[in-house]
Amino acid sequence: MQTALATAGLAPVLATALLDRGVPRAAPPQPAAEARAGTRRTCAPDEEIFAEGDRAGTFYKVVSGVVRTYKLLSDGRRQIDAFHLPGDIFGVEAGGEHRFNAEAVTETRLVVHRREARALAGDDGLLAREVVAAMMRSLERAQDHMLLLGRKSAKERIATFLLCLSQRAGGAAVELPMSRTDMADHLGLTVESVSRAVTQLEREGLIELPPNRRAVVLRDPRALRRLAD
Amino acid sequence: MQTALATAGLAPVLATALLDRGVPRAAPPQPAAEARAGTRRTCAPDEEIFAEGDRAGTFYKVVSGVVRTYKLLSDGRRQIDAFHLPGDIFGVEAGGEHRFNAEAVTETRLVVHRREARALAGDDGLLAREVVAAMMRSLERAQDHMLLLGRKSAKERIATFLLCLSQRAGGAAVELPMSRTDMADHLGLTVESVSRAVTQLEREGLIELPPNRRAVVLRDPRALRRLAD
DNA sequence: CGTTCTATTGAAGAGTATCAAGCCAAGTGG
DNA sequence: CCACTTGGCTTGATACTCTTCAATAGAACG
């Protein structure tokens, strides 16, 4: 096991981040930090960004597109722990190795940051502050997701997921950049169950989908919220 | 939403924590920090420590005993996100309010820390370093637990849970301080399923239980690990 | 248009939940 | 010391949700 975030530079940033009146939940992309100290990278759909066990020398911020991070069981069962949207930071590790696989879901542009002290400490620790906020948001999302995975029905999972997406995307109409398989592996279901639950919500009038089924309009957010609890 | 960790004092600590060669995984209680700047509190079994929505003005470190933190759905379904053993820190929030309920599982002694800068910054930031390490460990455990909840069978969940407990407790013989109901609500199962899976592992010779069923000896850790993946 | 890929739908089956006893250990009071 | 109670754990029978297997439908692309 090696140094992970691996920087003394993170410390001042943490303090500052925590002093902000709360962590920004709506994840406003902070364009100021995008140009900072990071190189750029573009990924084609399904392109691997890093794999479990890779040296975790860098972390990433999504500029555009969507990224999935996931773990695998030996027999191939997959759990997508999160989808990362523009503005999100992922790939920050405590240890020296990545504990996940990361792949682009769509064509994706990233900013790649080396995790040395220098880069994080620069600019008054703006980037480091972002990293810490990202970690805390990840933890909160993971905690909410455990409730979903442990205790919610298929329909409730879909409702929760769609609400969450619409919140992050910021509108009642949401694109679904990921496949049903991706959704299934995120929600602890099978493709078929996802499809059925979506269809059911649609028939009940809570949501509406275009012919290609790759977007959703939340017709009755109140009812969805009741379902999601 | 308010300041959460709420301290400038955390920043230097974060840096130091991250510079340590990896985060201590076996969670060795750091007795040096226990006496520091915190008041003590003792809780009877099932006593509430804090509830969801409470102002998060303090966080906690377990000295002895076990704590469960959980979320509830409106109809009472419960998800225990974690059990906290001696040396663990819990109750650290990004926002101004606790997002969980916390209760003592057994008779428990805690150290209570106010989350002001002063306390965290003191002593060369030793406490703050612990807080950051605790957050990262929480995140990693949450991620592993999502894989369990989303993709593992009942038997695999029990195997994983017992291995994890034995690792944290540090021995092949593990006390089970929590009830079957607590285990069920942590593993996304029912009491009956937990009981059946435990019995099954016992019949297969992978584990052994005393008559009162509140402890486990791991007879075949290799087979358990294979199950847990 | 045909091919391909993804999503949907249907039927059958597996695994877990639910409902209902029964069991066992510990505690209580006679 | 021994019923009696109590609470948690286990076991059994049945139900139900979701999965699995299989086929169809629909959109995207050449």
Side-chain angles (χ1 to χ4, degrees):
Chain A
M1 191 143 326
Q2 293 214 355
T3 305
L5 270 174
T7 91
L10 255 196
V13 173
L14 175 56
T16 326
L18 295 169
L19 279 171
D20 284 342
R21 313 257 101 215
V23 175
R25 303 315 174 94
Q30 306 191 13
E34 284 179 19
R36 191 185 322 284
T39 65
R40 291 187 157 269
R41 173 172 173 187
T42 301
C43 299
D46 298 322
E47 185 178 331
E48 175 180 304
I49 299 167
F50 58 77
E52 201 173 329
D54 283 359
R55 249 204 108 279
T58 54
F59 61 92
Y60 304 84
K61 180 173 180 176
V62 181
V63 175
S64 69
V66 180
V67 171
R68 61 176 170 256
T69 47
Y70 63 92
K71 284 170 171 289
L72 292 174
L73 293 178
S74 51
D75 63 357
R77 280 174 288 176
R78 184 177 68 154
Q79 177 66 36
I80 295 178
D81 74 305
F83 293 108
H84 305 276
L85 307 186
D88 288 352
I89 287 174
F90 67 95
V92 181
E93 300 285 350
E97 294 184 357
H98 285 297
R99 304 170 63 259
F100 286 98
N101 305 88
E103 292 172 357
V105 173
T106 62
E107 174 91 11
T108 299
R109 284 180 301 152
L110 303 170
V111 183
V112 185
H113 293 282
R114 318 215 104 268
R115 64 177 190 193
E116 272 101 45
R118 218 174 344 295
L120 288 166
D123 293 300
D124 215 20
L126 214 175
L127 178 56
R129 184 190 309 193
E130 267 190 271
V131 169
V132 172
M135 271 184 42
M136 302 190 80
R137 238 181 290 120
S138 288
L139 180 55
E140 295 187 354
R141 287 201 186 124
Q143 290 165 337
D144 291 338
H145 206 58
M146 287 191 283
L147 178 59
L148 178 150
L149 293 171
R151 288 298 179 223
K152 291 185 185 177
S153 71
K155 212 162 100 179
E156 291 167 340
R157 292 180 198 205
I158 297 292
T160 306
F161 177 69
L162 295 178
L163 281 170
C164 179
L165 258 193
S166 86
Q167 245 182 297
R168 292 169 70 186
V174 195
E175 296 297 313
L176 294 178
M178 69 292 292
S179 69
R180 294 292 189 267
T181 303
D182 282 348
M183 286 174 58
D185 285 348
H186 181 51
L187 301 175
L189 300 169
T190 60
V191 194
E192 294 92 334
S193 292
V194 170
S195 185
R196 279 185 248 270
V198 167
T199 302
Q200 199 181 346
L201 290 175
E202 187 183 24
R203 268 199 289 260
E204 292 167 356
L206 304 204
I207 61 176
E208 201 175 328
L209 286 84
N212 77 356
R213 322 245 83 199
R214 280 306 197 102
V216 181
V217 181
L218 309 189
R219 278 264 157 254
D220 191 345
R222 180 173 313 257
L224 288 171
R225 232 167 273 127
R226 210 174 312 124
L227 262 180
D229 200 28
Chain B
M1 194 141 328
Q2 293 214 356
T3 303
L5 272 176
T7 92
L10 256 198
V13 174
L14 177 54
T16 324
L18 294 169
L19 279 172
D20 282 341
R21 313 258 100 212
V23 175
R25 301 319 172 93
Q30 306 189 10
E34 285 180 20
R36 194 184 323 284
T39 64
R40 292 188 154 267
R41 174 171 170 189
T42 301
C43 298
D46 298 322
E47 185 178 331
E48 174 179 305
I49 298 167
F50 58 77
E52 201 174 330
D54 284 0
R55 250 203 108 278
T58 54
F59 62 91
Y60 304 84
K61 180 173 181 177
V62 181
V63 175
S64 70
V66 181
V67 171
R68 59 178 171 254
T69 48
Y70 63 91
K71 285 170 170 290
L72 292 174
L73 293 176
S74 51
D75 63 357
R77 279 174 289 177
R78 183 177 70 153
Q79 177 65 36
I80 295 177
D81 75 304
F83 293 107
H84 306 276
L85 307 186
D88 289 351
I89 287 174
F90 67 95
V92 180
E93 301 285 349
E97 294 184 357
H98 283 297
R99 305 171 60 259
F100 284 99
N101 305 87
E103 293 171 358
V105 173
T106 62
E107 174 92 11
T108 298
R109 283 179 302 153
L110 303 171
V111 182
V112 186
H113 293 282
R114 320 215 101 269
R115 64 179 190 193
E116 272 102 42
R118 216 171 346 293
L120 288 167
D123 292 299
D124 213 22
L126 214 173
L127 179 55
R129 183 191 309 191
E130 268 191 271
V131 169
V132 172
M135 272 184 44
M136 303 191 81
R137 238 179 291 122
S138 288
L139 180 56
E140 294 187 353
R141 287 200 187 127
Q143 290 164 337
D144 291 337
H145 205 58
M146 287 190 283
L147 178 60
L148 178 151
L149 293 171
R151 288 298 178 225
K152 290 185 185 176
S153 71
K155 211 162 100 178
E156 291 167 341
R157 294 182 196 204
I158 297 293
T160 307
F161 177 69
L162 295 179
L163 280 170
C164 178
L165 259 192
S166 85
Q167 245 182 296
R168 293 170 70 186
V174 194
E175 296 296 314
L176 295 177
M178 69 292 290
S179 69
R180 294 295 189 266
T181 303
D182 281 349
M183 288 174 57
D185 285 350
H186 181 50
L187 301 175
L189 300 169
T190 58
V191 192
E192 294 92 333
S193 292
V194 170
S195 184
R196 277 186 249 270
V198 167
T199 301
Q200 199 180 347
L201 290 176
E202 188 183 23
R203 269 199 288 258
E204 292 167 357
L206 305 204
I207 60 176
E208 202 175 325
L209 286 84
N212 77 358
R213 321 247 86 200
R214 279 307 197 100
V216 181
V217 180
L218 308 188
R219 277 264 159 254
D220 191 344
R222 179 174 315 257
L224 288 170
R225 233 168 271 126
R226 209 175 313 125
L227 261 181
D229 201 29

mmCIF file of all heavy atoms in Angstrom, chain A residues 153-154 188-190 192-193 196 211, chain D residues 17-22 26-28:
data_model
loop_
_atom_site.group_PDB
_atom_site.id
_atom_site.type_symbol
_atom_site.label_atom_id
_atom_site.label_comp_id
_atom_site.label_asym_id
_atom_site.label_seq_id
_atom_site.Cartn_x
_atom_site.Cartn_y
_atom_site.Cartn_z
ATOM 1 N N SER A 153 -37.695 -1.713 -3.553
ATOM 2 C CA SER A 153 -38.186 -2.577 -4.619
ATOM 3 C C SER A 153 -37.693 -2.051 -5.967
ATOM 4 O O SER A 153 -37.165 -0.946 -6.067
ATOM 5 C CB SER A 153 -39.706 -2.596 -4.616
ATOM 6 O OG SER A 153 -40.196 -1.354 -5.058
ATOM 7 N N ALA A 154 -37.867 -2.860 -6.990
ATOM 8 C CA ALA A 154 -37.394 -2.484 -8.323
ATOM 9 C C ALA A 154 -37.993 -1.141 -8.755
ATOM 10 O O ALA A 154 -37.275 -0.256 -9.234
ATOM 11 C CB ALA A 154 -37.758 -3.581 -9.326
ATOM 12 N N GLY A 188 -28.692 -2.875 -8.931
ATOM 13 C CA GLY A 188 -28.799 -4.216 -8.377
ATOM 14 C C GLY A 188 -29.951 -5.008 -8.950
ATOM 15 O O GLY A 188 -30.598 -5.781 -8.243
ATOM 16 N N LEU A 189 -30.230 -4.825 -10.234
ATOM 17 C CA LEU A 189 -31.329 -5.535 -10.893
ATOM 18 C C LEU A 189 -30.811 -6.177 -12.165
ATOM 19 O O LEU A 189 -29.620 -6.130 -12.455
ATOM 20 C CB LEU A 189 -32.451 -4.540 -11.248
ATOM 21 C CG LEU A 189 -33.104 -3.782 -10.092
ATOM 22 C CD1 LEU A 189 -33.991 -2.666 -10.614
ATOM 23 C CD2 LEU A 189 -33.916 -4.727 -9.224
ATOM 24 N N THR A 190 -31.705 -6.781 -12.947
ATOM 25 C CA THR A 190 -31.348 -7.254 -14.279
ATOM 26 C C THR A 190 -31.910 -6.266 -15.299
ATOM 27 O O THR A 190 -32.772 -5.448 -14.970
ATOM 28 C CB THR A 190 -31.969 -8.637 -14.554
ATOM 29 O OG1 THR A 190 -33.388 -8.528 -14.459
ATOM 30 C CG2 THR A 190 -31.453 -9.662 -13.584
ATOM 31 N N GLU A 192 -33.895 -6.827 -17.681
ATOM 32 C CA GLU A 192 -35.328 -7.057 -17.856
ATOM 33 C C GLU A 192 -36.137 -6.387 -16.751
ATOM 34 O O GLU A 192 -37.179 -5.770 -17.017
ATOM 35 C CB GLU A 192 -35.626 -8.555 -17.873
ATOM 36 C CG GLU A 192 -35.039 -9.287 -19.069
ATOM 37 C CD GLU A 192 -33.659 -9.855 -18.758
ATOM 38 O OE1 GLU A 192 -32.983 -9.292 -17.883
ATOM 39 O OE2 GLU A 192 -33.261 -10.842 -19.398
ATOM 40 N N SER A 193 -35.667 -6.491 -15.528
ATOM 41 C CA SER A 193 -36.391 -5.869 -14.423
ATOM 42 C C SER A 193 -36.410 -4.351 -14.567
ATOM 43 O O SER A 193 -37.413 -3.704 -14.269
ATOM 44 C CB SER A 193 -35.752 -6.248 -13.086
ATOM 45 O OG SER A 193 -35.946 -7.624 -12.835
ATOM 46 N N ARG A 196 -38.945 -3.518 -17.255
ATOM 47 C CA ARG A 196 -40.314 -3.690 -16.771
ATOM 48 C C ARG A 196 -40.714 -2.572 -15.826
ATOM 49 O O ARG A 196 -41.829 -2.024 -15.927
ATOM 50 C CB ARG A 196 -40.461 -5.037 -16.067
ATOM 51 C CG ARG A 196 -40.657 -6.200 -17.023
ATOM 52 C CD ARG A 196 -40.912 -7.500 -16.254
ATOM 53 N NE ARG A 196 -39.801 -8.423 -16.399
ATOM 54 C CZ ARG A 196 -39.710 -9.335 -17.371
ATOM 55 N NH1 ARG A 196 -40.649 -9.446 -18.280
ATOM 56 N NH2 ARG A 196 -38.671 -10.151 -17.429
ATOM 57 N N PRO A 211 -39.599 7.596 -28.279
ATOM 58 C CA PRO A 211 -39.550 6.292 -28.955
ATOM 59 C C PRO A 211 -38.226 5.557 -28.765
ATOM 60 O O PRO A 211 -38.226 4.339 -28.597
ATOM 61 C CB PRO A 211 -39.752 6.656 -30.435
ATOM 62 C CG PRO A 211 -40.487 7.943 -30.394
ATOM 63 C CD PRO A 211 -39.982 8.675 -29.207
ATOM 64 P P DT D 17 -45.285 -9.192 -5.326
ATOM 65 O OP1 DT D 17 -46.116 -8.191 -4.611
ATOM 66 O OP2 DT D 17 -45.756 -9.764 -6.608
ATOM 67 O "O5'" DT D 17 -43.842 -8.559 -5.541
ATOM 68 C "C5'" DT D 17 -42.893 -8.601 -4.492
ATOM 69 C "C4'" DT D 17 -41.514 -8.939 -5.027
ATOM 70 O "O4'" DT D 17 -41.408 -10.349 -5.294
ATOM 71 C "C3'" DT D 17 -41.147 -8.233 -6.333
ATOM 72 O "O3'" DT D 17 -39.957 -7.519 -6.102
ATOM 73 C "C2'" DT D 17 -40.991 -9.369 -7.349
ATOM 74 C "C1'" DT D 17 -40.665 -10.550 -6.473
ATOM 75 N N1 DT D 17 -41.048 -11.894 -6.994
ATOM 76 C C2 DT D 17 -40.112 -12.906 -7.012
ATOM 77 O O2 DT D 17 -38.956 -12.761 -6.639
ATOM 78 N N3 DT D 17 -40.578 -14.097 -7.477
ATOM 79 C C4 DT D 17 -41.855 -14.384 -7.924
ATOM 80 O O4 DT D 17 -42.151 -15.508 -8.315
ATOM 81 C C5 DT D 17 -42.783 -13.286 -7.890
ATOM 82 C C7 DT D 17 -44.205 -13.493 -8.361
ATOM 83 C C6 DT D 17 -42.350 -12.110 -7.426
ATOM 84 P P DC D 18 -39.315 -6.532 -7.189
ATOM 85 O OP1 DC D 18 -38.616 -5.480 -6.442
ATOM 86 O OP2 DC D 18 -40.333 -6.215 -8.205
ATOM 87 O "O5'" DC D 18 -38.220 -7.471 -7.869
ATOM 88 C "C5'" DC D 18 -37.227 -8.063 -7.041
ATOM 89 C "C4'" DC D 18 -36.526 -9.153 -7.810
ATOM 90 O "O4'" DC D 18 -37.472 -10.187 -8.116
ATOM 91 C "C3'" DC D 18 -35.925 -8.713 -9.140
ATOM 92 O "O3'" DC D 18 -34.544 -9.002 -9.101
ATOM 93 C "C2'" DC D 18 -36.686 -9.519 -10.185
ATOM 94 C "C1'" DC D 18 -37.168 -10.713 -9.383
ATOM 95 N N1 DC D 18 -38.403 -11.388 -9.887
ATOM 96 C C2 DC D 18 -38.403 -12.777 -10.048
ATOM 97 O O2 DC D 18 -37.384 -13.421 -9.776
ATOM 98 N N3 DC D 18 -39.529 -13.385 -10.491
ATOM 99 C C4 DC D 18 -40.610 -12.658 -10.778
ATOM 100 N N4 DC D 18 -41.711 -13.308 -11.209
ATOM 101 C C5 DC D 18 -40.642 -11.237 -10.616
ATOM 102 C C6 DC D 18 -39.520 -10.648 -10.176
ATOM 103 P P DT D 19 -33.609 -8.843 -10.419
ATOM 104 O OP1 DT D 19 -32.285 -8.394 -9.945
ATOM 105 O OP2 DT D 19 -34.343 -8.083 -11.438
ATOM 106 O "O5'" DT D 19 -33.453 -10.348 -10.930
ATOM 107 C "C5'" DT D 19 -33.016 -11.339 -9.995
ATOM 108 C "C4'" DT D 19 -32.936 -12.696 -10.668
ATOM 109 O "O4'" DT D 19 -34.261 -13.139 -11.039
ATOM 110 C "C3'" DT D 19 -32.101 -12.733 -11.941
ATOM 111 O "O3'" DT D 19 -31.252 -13.879 -11.873
ATOM 112 C "C2'" DT D 19 -33.141 -12.845 -13.058
ATOM 113 C "C1'" DT D 19 -34.283 -13.570 -12.378
ATOM 114 N N1 DT D 19 -35.657 -13.283 -12.884
ATOM 115 C C2 DT D 19 -36.451 -14.318 -13.298
ATOM 116 O O2 DT D 19 -36.095 -15.478 -13.305
ATOM 117 N N3 DT D 19 -37.717 -13.945 -13.718
ATOM 118 C C4 DT D 19 -38.237 -12.679 -13.758
ATOM 119 O O4 DT D 19 -39.387 -12.465 -14.148
ATOM 120 C C5 DT D 19 -37.346 -11.630 -13.313
ATOM 121 C C7 DT D 19 -37.809 -10.201 -13.311
ATOM 122 C C6 DT D 19 -36.116 -11.977 -12.899
ATOM 123 P P DT D 20 -30.093 -14.127 -12.960
ATOM 124 O OP1 DT D 20 -28.966 -14.797 -12.262
ATOM 125 O OP2 DT D 20 -29.892 -12.868 -13.686
ATOM 126 O "O5'" DT D 20 -30.751 -15.173 -13.952
ATOM 127 C "C5'" DT D 20 -31.343 -16.354 -13.419
ATOM 128 C "C4'" DT D 20 -32.034 -17.123 -14.518
ATOM 129 O "O4'" DT D 20 -33.335 -16.552 -14.787
ATOM 130 C "C3'" DT D 20 -31.301 -17.147 -15.865
ATOM 131 O "O3'" DT D 20 -31.187 -18.495 -16.282
ATOM 132 C "C2'" DT D 20 -32.189 -16.334 -16.798
ATOM 133 C "C1'" DT D 20 -33.559 -16.524 -16.167
ATOM 134 N N1 DT D 20 -34.554 -15.445 -16.393
ATOM 135 C C2 DT D 20 -35.834 -15.779 -16.744
ATOM 136 O O2 DT D 20 -36.200 -16.920 -16.908
ATOM 137 N N3 DT D 20 -36.683 -14.708 -16.891
ATOM 138 C C4 DT D 20 -36.380 -13.376 -16.730
ATOM 139 O O4 DT D 20 -37.228 -12.500 -16.887
ATOM 140 C C5 DT D 20 -35.018 -13.089 -16.371
ATOM 141 C C7 DT D 20 -34.572 -11.683 -16.171
ATOM 142 C C6 DT D 20 -34.174 -14.128 -16.217
ATOM 143 P P DC D 21 -30.249 -18.936 -17.512
ATOM 144 O OP1 DC D 21 -29.617 -20.233 -17.192
ATOM 145 O OP2 DC D 21 -29.424 -17.776 -17.877
ATOM 146 O "O5'" DC D 21 -31.321 -19.172 -18.662
ATOM 147 C "C5'" DC D 21 -32.443 -20.018 -18.402
ATOM 148 C "C4'" DC D 21 -33.429 -19.923 -19.544
ATOM 149 O "O4'" DC D 21 -34.227 -18.725 -19.392
ATOM 150 C "C3'" DC D 21 -32.803 -19.853 -20.940
ATOM 151 O "O3'" DC D 21 -33.488 -20.752 -21.778
ATOM 152 C "C2'" DC D 21 -33.018 -18.398 -21.344
ATOM 153 C "C1'" DC D 21 -34.334 -18.092 -20.638
ATOM 154 N N1 DC D 21 -34.613 -16.664 -20.385
ATOM 155 C C2 DC D 21 -35.929 -16.197 -20.508
ATOM 156 O O2 DC D 21 -36.813 -16.994 -20.814
ATOM 157 N N3 DC D 21 -36.192 -14.895 -20.270
ATOM 158 C C4 DC D 21 -35.198 -14.063 -19.938
ATOM 159 N N4 DC D 21 -35.511 -12.787 -19.713
ATOM 160 C C5 DC D 21 -33.850 -14.517 -19.816
ATOM 161 C C6 DC D 21 -33.601 -15.815 -20.048
ATOM 162 P P DA D 22 -33.019 -21.009 -23.294
ATOM 163 O OP1 DA D 22 -33.200 -22.447 -23.565
ATOM 164 O OP2 DA D 22 -31.709 -20.345 -23.504
ATOM 165 O "O5'" DA D 22 -34.119 -20.199 -24.113
ATOM 166 C "C5'" DA D 22 -35.510 -20.388 -23.814
ATOM 167 C "C4'" DA D 22 -36.345 -19.466 -24.654
ATOM 168 O "O4'" DA D 22 -36.447 -18.170 -24.009
ATOM 169 C "C3'" DA D 22 -35.792 -19.203 -26.060
ATOM 170 O "O3'" DA D 22 -36.799 -19.484 -27.020
ATOM 171 C "C2'" DA D 22 -35.405 -17.743 -26.038
ATOM 172 C "C1'" DA D 22 -36.358 -17.170 -24.982
ATOM 173 N N9 DA D 22 -35.883 -15.944 -24.352
ATOM 174 C C8 DA D 22 -34.629 -15.667 -23.876
ATOM 175 N N7 DA D 22 -34.500 -14.459 -23.369
ATOM 176 C C5 DA D 22 -35.757 -13.913 -23.517
ATOM 177 C C6 DA D 22 -36.277 -12.657 -23.184
ATOM 178 N N6 DA D 22 -35.573 -11.700 -22.586
ATOM 179 N N1 DA D 22 -37.583 -12.416 -23.457
ATOM 180 C C2 DA D 22 -38.300 -13.382 -24.049
ATOM 181 N N3 DA D 22 -37.909 -14.601 -24.417
ATOM 182 C C4 DA D 22 -36.619 -14.800 -24.118
ATOM 183 P P DG D 26 -43.002 -2.556 -32.596
ATOM 184 O OP1 DG D 26 -44.225 -2.015 -31.987
ATOM 185 O OP2 DG D 26 -42.992 -3.042 -33.993
ATOM 186 O "O5'" DG D 26 -41.847 -1.477 -32.444
ATOM 187 C "C5'" DG D 26 -41.240 -1.275 -31.175
ATOM 188 C "C4'" DG D 26 -39.881 -0.643 -31.351
ATOM 189 O "O4'" DG D 26 -38.883 -1.667 -31.564
ATOM 190 C "C3'" DG D 26 -39.780 0.311 -32.556
ATOM 191 O "O3'" DG D 26 -39.272 1.538 -32.085
ATOM 192 C "C2'" DG D 26 -38.807 -0.385 -33.494
ATOM 193 C "C1'" DG D 26 -37.981 -1.214 -32.536
ATOM 194 N N9 DG D 26 -37.355 -2.387 -33.095
ATOM 195 C C8 DG D 26 -37.952 -3.391 -33.840
ATOM 196 N N7 DG D 26 -37.120 -4.333 -34.195
ATOM 197 C C5 DG D 26 -35.908 -3.926 -33.661
ATOM 198 C C6 DG D 26 -34.637 -4.548 -33.718
ATOM 199 O O6 DG D 26 -34.328 -5.603 -34.274
ATOM 200 N N1 DG D 26 -33.680 -3.806 -33.044
ATOM 201 C C2 DG D 26 -33.912 -2.623 -32.398
ATOM 202 N N2 DG D 26 -32.874 -2.054 -31.797
ATOM 203 N N3 DG D 26 -35.079 -2.028 -32.328
ATOM 204 C C4 DG D 26 -36.032 -2.744 -32.982
ATOM 205 P P DA D 27 -39.273 2.829 -33.000
ATOM 206 O OP1 DA D 27 -39.919 3.918 -32.240
ATOM 207 O OP2 DA D 27 -39.741 2.479 -34.351
ATOM 208 O "O5'" DA D 27 -37.713 3.154 -33.067
ATOM 209 C "C5'" DA D 27 -37.053 3.491 -31.859
ATOM 210 C "C4'" DA D 27 -35.555 3.464 -32.062
ATOM 211 O "O4'" DA D 27 -35.149 2.139 -32.491
ATOM 212 C "C3'" DA D 27 -35.028 4.441 -33.110
ATOM 213 O "O3'" DA D 27 -33.918 5.126 -32.556
ATOM 214 C "C2'" DA D 27 -34.647 3.553 -34.293
ATOM 215 C "C1'" DA D 27 -34.302 2.242 -33.604
ATOM 216 N N9 DA D 27 -34.543 1.038 -34.390
ATOM 217 C C8 DA D 27 -35.707 0.645 -34.975
ATOM 218 N N7 DA D 27 -35.640 -0.507 -35.607
ATOM 219 C C5 DA D 27 -34.325 -0.896 -35.418
ATOM 220 C C6 DA D 27 -33.616 -2.036 -35.839
ATOM 221 N N6 DA D 27 -34.140 -3.022 -36.559
ATOM 222 N N1 DA D 27 -32.313 -2.116 -35.471
ATOM 223 C C2 DA D 27 -31.785 -1.127 -34.745
ATOM 224 N N3 DA D 27 -32.353 -0.010 -34.290
ATOM 225 C C4 DA D 27 -33.642 0.039 -34.668
ATOM 226 P P DA D 28 -33.176 6.253 -33.357
ATOM 227 O OP1 DA D 28 -32.733 7.265 -32.371
ATOM 228 O OP2 DA D 28 -34.022 6.635 -34.517
ATOM 229 O "O5'" DA D 28 -31.888 5.506 -33.914
ATOM 230 C "C5'" DA D 28 -30.991 4.878 -32.984
ATOM 231 C "C4'" DA D 28 -29.783 4.345 -33.732
ATOM 232 O "O4'" DA D 28 -30.151 3.138 -34.450
ATOM 233 C "C3'" DA D 28 -29.237 5.315 -34.779
ATOM 234 O "O3'" DA D 28 -27.813 5.247 -34.747
ATOM 235 C "C2'" DA D 28 -29.808 4.780 -36.091
ATOM 236 C "C1'" DA D 28 -29.853 3.278 -35.823
ATOM 237 N N9 DA D 28 -30.891 2.556 -36.552
ATOM 238 C C8 DA D 28 -32.165 2.960 -36.828
ATOM 239 N N7 DA D 28 -32.879 2.074 -37.500
ATOM 240 C C5 DA D 28 -31.990 1.027 -37.687
ATOM 241 C C6 DA D 28 -32.127 -0.220 -38.328
ATOM 242 N N6 DA D 28 -33.251 -0.636 -38.927
ATOM 243 N N1 DA D 28 -31.053 -1.039 -38.329
ATOM 244 C C2 DA D 28 -29.935 -0.629 -37.731
ATOM 245 N N3 DA D 28 -29.687 0.522 -37.091
ATOM 246 C C4 DA D 28 -30.775 1.302 -37.111
#
